[in-house]
Amino acid sequence: MTKLLLSLHVLAAILAVGPISVAASMFPRKARELLASGAGGVAAGQVSPGGAAGAALLHRVCRAYAVFGVAVPVFGVATGAQLGVLTDAWLLVSVVLTALAAVLLGAVVLPRQARLLGAAGVGLDEGEAVPQISDPRAAAARLAMVTGIFNLLWAAVVVLMILRPGSTTSA
């Protein structure tokens, strides 16, 4: 049972966190291009690949996979319980880092993506006001920084999962 749970945990991490990391990392550049050229993605007669649709797709990927990503800690805790390591420091630190990454994604990355899309007139409900962003380039840069921190948190979790410092169970 432990091997099955560990396999599901690793698969969920790869299939959920991987796409979020890639899509979230690509989003700030697409948003910057979109806001610089208008919602249609046209600037100086050139069409930006993807334009509004590309940026909106990246945001949808982040939102959808965030929901699926809940499986990662669920299977992780189940695996930890089977291994009897729920109180080990490496696992507790991993849980805290995972929680921080989840909060960062849900409270900062996704709302800022939606705000940047809204500023370009994408994804707004009828009658909804367009958010005003005084410096879209700086807003996209800040989003890129926060996304980088999100990715670093996950990288730290992966390192802890592999090294398992202080663990007495077999690696």
Side-chain angles (χ1 to χ4, degrees):
M1 184 60 141
T2 302
K3 289 182 181 187
L4 174 65
L5 289 172
L6 181 58
S7 296
L8 291 172
H9 171 61
V10 171
L11 279 172
I14 291 168
L15 296 175
V17 179
I20 294 170
S21 295
V22 171
S25 295
M26 292 173 65
F27 183 88
R29 179 175 176 211
K30 284 289 185 191
R32 216 175 14 253
E33 291 172 0
L34 180 62
L35 290 166
S37 63
V42 179
Q46 296 180 343
V47 177
S48 171
L57 175 65
L58 292 171
H59 179 59
R60 274 195 313 276
V61 166
C62 291
R63 275 194 343 247
Y65 280 84
V67 173
F68 174 55
V70 172
V72 176
V74 169
F75 287 125
V77 168
T79 303
Q82 284 286 318
L83 290 171
V85 295
L86 286 180
T87 58
D88 285 10
W90 65 269
L91 186 64
L92 295 174
V93 171
S94 294
V95 168
V96 169
L97 293 176
T98 298
L100 286 172
V103 167
L104 202 57
L105 180 65
V108 181
V109 174
L110 294 176
R112 286 187 184 180
Q113 286 180 347
R115 184 168 166 75
L116 284 168
L117 283 173
V122 178
L124 296 174
D125 293 330
E126 190 174 325
E128 186 177 353
V130 174
Q132 296 301 313
I133 299 177
S134 59
D135 188 355
R137 189 169 187 81
R142 283 190 300 274
L143 177 58
M145 178 194 65
V146 172
T147 300
I149 293 168
F150 169 80
N151 289 334
L152 286 173
L153 288 169
W154 278 113
V157 170
V158 168
V159 169
L160 285 170
M161 291 289 140
I162 293 169
L163 297 181
R164 297 164 46 167
S167 177
T168 57
T169 60
S170 61

